Short mmCIF file of all heavy atoms in Angstrom, two decimals:
data_model
loop_
_atom_site.label_atom_id
_atom_site.label_comp_id
_atom_site.label_asym_id
_atom_site.label_seq_id
_atom_site.Cartn_x
_atom_site.Cartn_y
_atom_site.Cartn_z
N VAL A 106 19.62 8.04 6.00
CA VAL A 106 18.63 7.46 6.92
C VAL A 106 17.80 8.61 7.49
O VAL A 106 18.35 9.53 8.10
CB VAL A 106 19.33 6.68 8.06
CG1 VAL A 106 18.28 6.04 8.97
CG2 VAL A 106 20.27 5.63 7.49
N VAL A 123 32.16 2.54 7.64
CA VAL A 123 33.60 2.83 7.78
C VAL A 123 34.19 1.77 8.72
O VAL A 123 34.63 2.07 9.84
CB VAL A 123 33.85 4.26 8.34
CG1 VAL A 123 35.30 4.68 8.09
CG2 VAL A 123 32.89 5.29 7.76
N ARG A 128 38.78 5.38 15.61
CA ARG A 128 38.42 6.55 16.42
C ARG A 128 37.70 7.56 15.53
O ARG A 128 37.71 7.46 14.30
CB ARG A 128 39.62 7.16 17.14
CG ARG A 128 40.77 7.62 16.27
CD ARG A 128 41.94 8.10 17.12
NE ARG A 128 41.54 9.16 18.04
CZ ARG A 128 41.47 9.02 19.37
NH1 ARG A 128 41.79 7.88 19.94
NH2 ARG A 128 41.11 10.03 20.13
N GLY A 138 23.80 21.65 20.08
CA GLY A 138 23.31 20.93 21.26
C GLY A 138 22.76 19.54 20.98
O GLY A 138 21.88 19.08 21.71
N GLU A 165 41.83 25.06 8.75
CA GLU A 165 43.16 24.73 9.28
C GLU A 165 43.05 24.27 10.73
O GLU A 165 43.64 23.26 11.13
CB GLU A 165 44.10 25.94 9.18
CG GLU A 165 45.48 25.60 9.72
CD GLU A 165 46.44 26.78 9.78
OE1 GLU A 165 46.08 27.89 9.33
OE2 GLU A 165 47.57 26.57 10.27
N SER A 177 43.59 8.90 11.86
CA SER A 177 44.29 8.41 10.66
C SER A 177 43.32 8.42 9.49
O SER A 177 42.12 8.64 9.65
CB SER A 177 44.79 6.98 10.89
OG SER A 177 43.69 6.09 10.77
N TYR A 207 33.72 10.58 6.19
CA TYR A 207 32.91 11.37 7.13
C TYR A 207 31.45 10.97 7.01
O TYR A 207 31.00 10.47 5.96
CB TYR A 207 33.10 12.88 6.93
CG TYR A 207 32.45 13.48 5.70
CD1 TYR A 207 31.37 14.35 5.81
CD2 TYR A 207 32.92 13.18 4.43
CE1 TYR A 207 30.78 14.92 4.69
CE2 TYR A 207 32.33 13.74 3.30
CZ TYR A 207 31.27 14.61 3.43
OH TYR A 207 30.69 15.15 2.32
N PRO A 258 12.03 29.60 14.03
CA PRO A 258 11.06 29.71 12.93
C PRO A 258 11.67 30.11 11.60
O PRO A 258 11.31 29.57 10.55
CB PRO A 258 10.10 30.80 13.43
CG PRO A 258 10.22 30.76 14.92
CD PRO A 258 11.61 30.31 15.24
N SER A 263 13.49 28.68 6.08
CA SER A 263 14.57 28.52 5.12
C SER A 263 14.56 27.10 4.53
O SER A 263 14.69 26.91 3.32
CB SER A 263 15.90 28.82 5.82
OG SER A 263 16.92 28.86 4.87
N GLY A 266 11.75 26.55 1.96
CA GLY A 266 12.02 27.08 0.61
C GLY A 266 12.64 26.02 -0.27
O GLY A 266 12.29 25.87 -1.45
N GLU A 267 13.57 25.24 0.31
CA GLU A 267 14.18 24.15 -0.48
C GLU A 267 13.18 23.03 -0.73
O GLU A 267 13.17 22.42 -1.80
CB GLU A 267 15.43 23.59 0.23
CG GLU A 267 16.63 24.52 0.23
CD GLU A 267 17.28 24.69 -1.15
OE1 GLU A 267 17.02 23.89 -2.06
OE2 GLU A 267 18.06 25.65 -1.30
N PRO A 289 3.57 14.45 6.83
CA PRO A 289 4.43 14.52 8.02
C PRO A 289 5.85 14.91 7.61
O PRO A 289 6.30 14.54 6.51
CB PRO A 289 4.40 13.09 8.57
CG PRO A 289 3.21 12.44 7.94
CD PRO A 289 2.96 13.14 6.63
N ALA A 330 23.22 38.10 -2.00
CA ALA A 330 24.45 38.90 -2.16
C ALA A 330 24.14 40.38 -2.00
O ALA A 330 24.90 41.12 -1.37
CB ALA A 330 25.07 38.63 -3.53
N ASP A 335 23.24 43.85 5.37
CA ASP A 335 22.08 44.69 5.65
C ASP A 335 21.13 43.87 6.53
O ASP A 335 20.36 43.05 6.04
CB ASP A 335 21.39 45.10 4.34
CG ASP A 335 20.16 45.94 4.59
OD1 ASP A 335 19.77 46.09 5.77
OD2 ASP A 335 19.59 46.45 3.61
N PHE A 352 9.82 34.05 -9.33
CA PHE A 352 10.48 34.83 -10.38
C PHE A 352 10.77 33.95 -11.60
O PHE A 352 10.52 34.35 -12.75
CB PHE A 352 11.78 35.45 -9.85
CG PHE A 352 12.68 35.95 -10.94
CD1 PHE A 352 12.44 37.16 -11.57
CD2 PHE A 352 13.76 35.18 -11.35
CE1 PHE A 352 13.26 37.60 -12.60
CE2 PHE A 352 14.58 35.61 -12.38
CZ PHE A 352 14.33 36.82 -13.00
N ALA A 353 11.29 32.76 -11.35
CA ALA A 353 11.62 31.85 -12.46
C ALA A 353 10.37 31.49 -13.26
O ALA A 353 10.42 31.39 -14.50
CB ALA A 353 12.30 30.58 -11.93
N ALA A 354 9.25 31.33 -12.56
CA ALA A 354 8.00 31.02 -13.27
C ALA A 354 7.56 32.22 -14.12
O ALA A 354 7.13 32.06 -15.28
CB ALA A 354 6.91 30.65 -12.27
N ARG A 367 0.37 27.66 -14.95
CA ARG A 367 1.60 27.10 -14.39
C ARG A 367 2.25 28.11 -13.40
O ARG A 367 2.80 27.72 -12.38
CB ARG A 367 2.54 26.79 -15.56
CG ARG A 367 3.63 25.86 -15.29
CD ARG A 367 3.21 24.42 -15.01
NE ARG A 367 4.36 23.77 -14.39
CZ ARG A 367 4.29 22.81 -13.48
NH1 ARG A 367 3.15 22.34 -13.07
NH2 ARG A 367 5.39 22.30 -12.96
N ARG A 372 2.92 29.71 -7.52
CA ARG A 372 2.53 30.54 -6.36
C ARG A 372 1.82 29.69 -5.31
O ARG A 372 2.04 29.87 -4.11
CB ARG A 372 1.58 31.66 -6.82
CG ARG A 372 2.27 32.76 -7.58
CD ARG A 372 1.31 33.94 -7.70
NE ARG A 372 1.85 34.98 -8.54
CZ ARG A 372 2.76 35.87 -8.15
NH1 ARG A 372 3.23 35.83 -6.92
NH2 ARG A 372 3.20 36.79 -8.99
N LEU A 393 20.38 43.71 -9.27
CA LEU A 393 20.18 42.25 -9.16
C LEU A 393 20.71 41.55 -10.40
O LEU A 393 21.34 40.49 -10.32
CB LEU A 393 18.70 41.92 -8.95
CG LEU A 393 18.13 42.36 -7.59
CD1 LEU A 393 16.62 42.15 -7.54
CD2 LEU A 393 18.80 41.59 -6.45
N HIS A 404 28.72 30.78 -16.60
CA HIS A 404 29.60 30.53 -17.76
C HIS A 404 29.59 31.71 -18.73
O HIS A 404 29.52 31.53 -19.95
CB HIS A 404 29.18 29.26 -18.53
CG HIS A 404 29.31 28.02 -17.73
ND1 HIS A 404 30.50 27.52 -17.28
CD2 HIS A 404 28.36 27.15 -17.28
CE1 HIS A 404 30.30 26.41 -16.60
NE2 HIS A 404 29.01 26.18 -16.57
N VAL A 417 11.19 21.15 -16.09
CA VAL A 417 12.20 22.10 -15.63
C VAL A 417 13.55 21.73 -16.25
O VAL A 417 13.95 20.57 -16.22
CB VAL A 417 12.28 22.06 -14.07
CG1 VAL A 417 13.36 22.99 -13.56
CG2 VAL A 417 10.93 22.45 -13.47
N GLU A 418 14.23 22.72 -16.82
CA GLU A 418 15.52 22.45 -17.48
C GLU A 418 16.43 23.68 -17.42
O GLU A 418 15.98 24.78 -17.10
CB GLU A 418 15.31 22.00 -18.94
CG GLU A 418 14.62 23.04 -19.78
CD GLU A 418 14.17 22.49 -21.14
OE1 GLU A 418 14.41 21.32 -21.44
OE2 GLU A 418 13.57 23.27 -21.90
#
Side-chain angles (χ1 to χ4, degrees):
V106 182
V123 197
R128 59 184 304 110
E165 180 185 357
S177 77
Y207 73 111
S263 188
E267 289 289 344
D335 179 353
F352 165 79
R367 198 68 196 147
R372 286 192 186 281
L393 291 173
H404 296 296
V417 177
E418 61 191 358

